């Protein structure tokens, strides 16, 4: 009987790391976010997922914080689509060529921002920071800050509803 059991199974021996060990699922700790990302005055963005950090090909994700009663500069994100998830606080979004539209969102709400839409995030809470998770449709953070906007005094309120969910005040 042969005592050499090194070839009694079909797979080859390899001293390489197992596939997916370093190229599979990645967990980014909340205290290890990267502030070295495109910024807009009035907000603090930190990257969690991007090409440089994890090799992401088609998305960027991170956090954004806005201090109580603060508002951001007007900006857009080029061709990118953005999704904002409100973790805590009260978000007031203004958008349009002159920020003529406004809507609010609270914890648990999602906000969708289409490509090229000029917008401004406002923390509508005078006492608490606004904390959000942000996801964009590309692996790098594109931010185009706009400085020559003349906002309307009273924006038109727009209710975030779809054809199935009617606004209760209508």
């Amino acid at each position: 009987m042969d005592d050499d059991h090194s070839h009694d199974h079909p797979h080859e021996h390899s001293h390489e790391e197992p596939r997916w060990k370093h190229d599979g699922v990645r967990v980014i700790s909340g205290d290890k976010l990267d502030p070295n990302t495109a910024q807009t005055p009035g907000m603090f963005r930190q990257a969690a997922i991007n090409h440089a950090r994890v090799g992401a090909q088609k998305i960027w994700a991170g956090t954004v914080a806005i201090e109580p009663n603060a508002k951001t500069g007007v900006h857009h994100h080029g061709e990118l689509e953005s999704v904002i998830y409100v973790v805590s606080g009260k978000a007031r979004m203004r958008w349009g060529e002159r920020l003529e539209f406004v809507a609010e969102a609270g914890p648990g709400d999602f906000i969708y921002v289409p490509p090229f839409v000029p917008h401004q995030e406002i923390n509508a809470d005078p006492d608490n920071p606004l904390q959000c998770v942000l996801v964009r449709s590309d692996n790098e953070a594109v931010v185009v800050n706009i400085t020559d906007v003349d906002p309307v005094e009273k924006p038109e309120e727009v209710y975030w509803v779809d054809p199935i969910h009617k606004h209760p005040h209508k």
Side-chain angles (χ1 to χ4, degrees):
M1 189 149 97
D2 185 359
D3 286 331
D4 181 9
H5 297 286
S6 62
H7 298 290
D8 63 354
H9 42 86
H11 66 274
E12 292 184 30
H13 291 274
S14 173
H15 297 292
E16 294 178 17
E17 292 284 343
R19 184 173 187 208
W20 304 121
K21 181 174 183 177
H22 297 291
D23 293 326
V25 172
R26 300 284 301 270
V27 175
I28 308 301
S29 176
D31 62 356
K32 300 280 192 278
L33 302 182
D34 183 4
N36 186 23
T37 188
Q39 299 290 342
T40 295
M43 66 184 352
F44 179 56
R45 290 188 190 98
Q46 296 186 93
I49 308 297
N50 61 16
H51 183 71
R53 300 198 81 199
V54 300
Q57 299 297 308
K58 297 179 181 176
I59 61 171
W60 181 100
T63 61
V64 62
I66 302 174
E67 293 303 312
N69 265 343
K71 62 184 177 182
T72 71
V74 181
H75 60 283
H76 69 75
H77 302 286
E79 295 181 357
L80 306 187
E81 294 176 287
S82 297
V83 173
I84 302 167
Y85 174 77
V86 180
V87 175
S88 64
K90 184 176 182 182
R92 180 175 296 136
M93 296 290 291
R94 289 186 67 175
W95 72 93
E97 295 298 325
R98 297 188 60 212
L99 303 180
E100 62 268 34
F101 306 109
V102 65
E104 292 189 349
D109 291 342
F110 286 84
I111 302 165
Y112 170 68
V113 182
F116 297 105
V117 173
H119 61 282
Q120 176 183 57
E121 291 96 338
I122 300 165
N123 182 346
D125 187 327
D127 301 314
N128 299 295
L130 172 62
Q131 302 282 349
C132 300
V133 171
L134 176 59
V135 178
R136 294 214 190 95
S137 62
D138 196 286
N139 61 11
E140 297 300 332
V142 174
V143 176
V144 179
N145 292 310
I146 306 169
T147 57
D148 60 349
V149 173
D150 181 26
V152 296
E153 195 63 35
K154 285 195 150 284
E156 176 185 345
E157 186 167 4
V158 177
Y159 297 109
W160 290 346
V161 293
D162 56 43
I164 297 169
H165 303 93
K166 301 295 182 194
H167 189 272
H169 294 101
K170 288 190 173 187

